[in-house]
Amino acid sequence: MIFLLNTSEFGNELKKLGFDFYSGVPCSFLKSLINYAINECNYIAAANEGDAVAIASGAYVGGKKSVVLMQNSGLTNAVSPLTSLTYPFQIPVLGFVSLRGEPGLTDEPQHELMGQITTQLLDLMQIKWEYLSSDVNEAKLQLETANEWIEKERPFFFVVKKDTFDKVNLKREERFVHHNKKKIDKTSSDEVPSRMEALDVINRCKDEKTVQLATTGKTGREMYELEDCSNNLYMVGSMGCVSSLGLGVALAREDLNVVVIDGDGSLLMRMGSLATNGFYHPANMLHILLDNQTHDSTGGQRTVSHNVNFVDIAAACGYEKSIYIHSLEELEKEIQEWKKTKALTFLHLKIAKGSKQNLGRPKVTPREVKTRLQRFINEKG
Ligand SMILES: Cc1ncc(C[n+]2csc(CCOP(=O)(O)OP(=O)(O)O)c2C)c(N)n1
């Protein structure tokens, strides 16, 4: 006879410890815990597991204790943020990863290798983990241990074998509404300012409730050089994750003005995040794309953004407003407009390639950046 873990009792225990924000991508082994999270907590359905880690990280920075759920095949999708976001910034997420392809059990061929290396991969990433017990009392003790790691700002993962959770059905039906109300396409020639000029406009528009998240590479470095302040986060790694991080912060703290500054290479890398952002459509998030049509930070190699109509895509993904920006003046006008009227907004600005000579790098460590941003956010609470 198989004894299954009482999912609701376990989920309530998680909730008692403060874990009530979830993000993930489904796996049948985790179905019941996901259903519990959808029924009883806040569950954000990510487009991929890496985005889920970034969303959960944002929620953590915004003051939530957060959980990520994924199949082990998706752990590979999450390697970039688990090694270059949660590790350097010391963002503790609690993870549940299924063990498809468990050695000794019959499973599909695509899970065979991952089943053998899941725990080794966690070890390699220096993530503390345990197999989740299906005995509820043992599992509760395990949760206490996990919570101690989280409190020490270290991630902790449970590896979940087949037939661990008992059945939970979905209670709530999601409502599907398309939110795009305004789309403005390119209508005239572009001013094509430098990235620094664009960042300067963005930075001058900030107020006491603004959090600024800058994408990987020179965007963050220029932002730092422009003005290093506690409401900024320079996303040194985890390329493509900046708007997912922003989504997490924006959902966790609806009173903040969350400004996400993206690059075309970064956005293309994880474009599925636009769909997630549009679906959850936090009104307090502004997503600005500075598009130089290159991977400028790594030597100016062309990206494939030339044919891409980002304004159309963001609108189609459900951003309430999606606007092509031709000049710095328009940029400032639309930022002010967003602050006044609040609605998930996407702004696409073409910028010039290149940056200033001898551009520095943040001297403040990622962990310090995170800690002071958390303090900034807490003080606004
Ligand atoms: C997953 C991953 N792949 C590659 C890199 C190397 N990298 C850092 S910044 C960057 C270019 C980013 O391009 P874009 O977002 O267009 O910004 P830009 O450099 O043009 O400002 C690359 C390829 C990385 N940090 N992470």
Side-chain angles (χ1 to χ4, degrees), residues 108-284:
E108 308 289 332
Q110 69 273 23
H111 296 302
E112 187 181 327
L113 179 58
M114 199 57 208
Q116 292 168 25
I117 66 171
T118 296
T119 58
Q120 293 171 44
L121 191 52
L122 291 169
D123 284 336
L124 273 177
M125 293 193 288
Q126 301 181 16
I127 294 174
K128 177 82 181 151
W129 64 271
E130 282 183 19
Y131 291 115
L132 181 63
S133 170
S134 53
D135 176 283
V136 76
N137 292 322
E138 259 179 50
K140 283 182 185 176
L141 288 176
Q142 287 184 300
L143 263 189
E144 280 176 25
T145 307
N147 192 43
E148 282 164 18
W149 283 84
I150 300 292
E151 302 279 324
K152 282 189 279 186
E153 300 190 310
R154 301 290 304 277
F156 189 100
F157 268 57
F158 285 111
V159 177
V160 181
K161 296 186 180 186
K162 194 175 179 192
D163 294 329
T164 296
F165 289 107
D166 75 358
K167 192 166 179 185
V168 171
N169 290 321
L170 261 186
K171 270 196 229 157
R172 254 188 262 149
E173 270 298 312
E174 303 270 346
R175 281 188 309 123
F176 299 103
V177 183
H178 190 78
H179 297 278
N180 181 246
K181 295 199 179 66
K182 184 171 176 183
K183 178 168 89 72
I184 301 179
D185 293 310
K186 177 173 162 68
T187 51
S188 60
S189 59
D190 295 310
E191 188 178 273
V192 198
S194 69
R195 182 175 36 222
M196 198 67 134
E197 287 169 326
L199 289 173
D200 186 43
V201 168
I202 297 167
N203 194 46
R204 277 192 285 106
C205 289
K206 74 171 185 246
D207 59 31
E208 75 288 352
K209 290 247 167 183
T210 301
V211 167
Q212 303 184 126
L213 310 174
T215 190
T216 318
K218 290 189 176 172
T219 305
R221 289 165 62 186
E222 287 193 350
M223 197 75 192
Y224 171 80
E225 196 142 311
L226 206 58
E227 186 188 355
D228 179 36
C229 45
S230 61
N231 58 317
N232 283 355
L233 184 139
Y234 320 107
M235 188 163 227
V236 289
S238 57
M239 184 175 157
C241 286
V242 74
S243 74
S244 298
L245 187 84
L247 177 66
V249 178
L251 292 173
R253 285 291 302 265
E254 290 176 4
D255 57 316
L256 298 173
N257 295 332
V258 180
V259 177
V260 170
I261 308 155
D262 221 334
D264 50 305
S266 301
L267 181 53
L268 285 168
M269 188 174 270
R270 287 181 179 271
M271 210 148 60
S273 59
L274 288 178
T276 315
N277 300 340
F279 186 87
Y280 294 99
H281 64 94
N284 57 331

Side-chain angles (χ1 to χ4, degrees), residues 317-333:
C317 286
Y319 277 63
E320 201 163 328
K321 296 181 186 169
S322 185
I323 300 169
Y324 193 92
I325 300 291
H326 306 81
S327 65
L328 293 174
E329 196 184 329
E330 274 182 27
L331 178 64
E332 177 164 0
K333 182 177 140 270

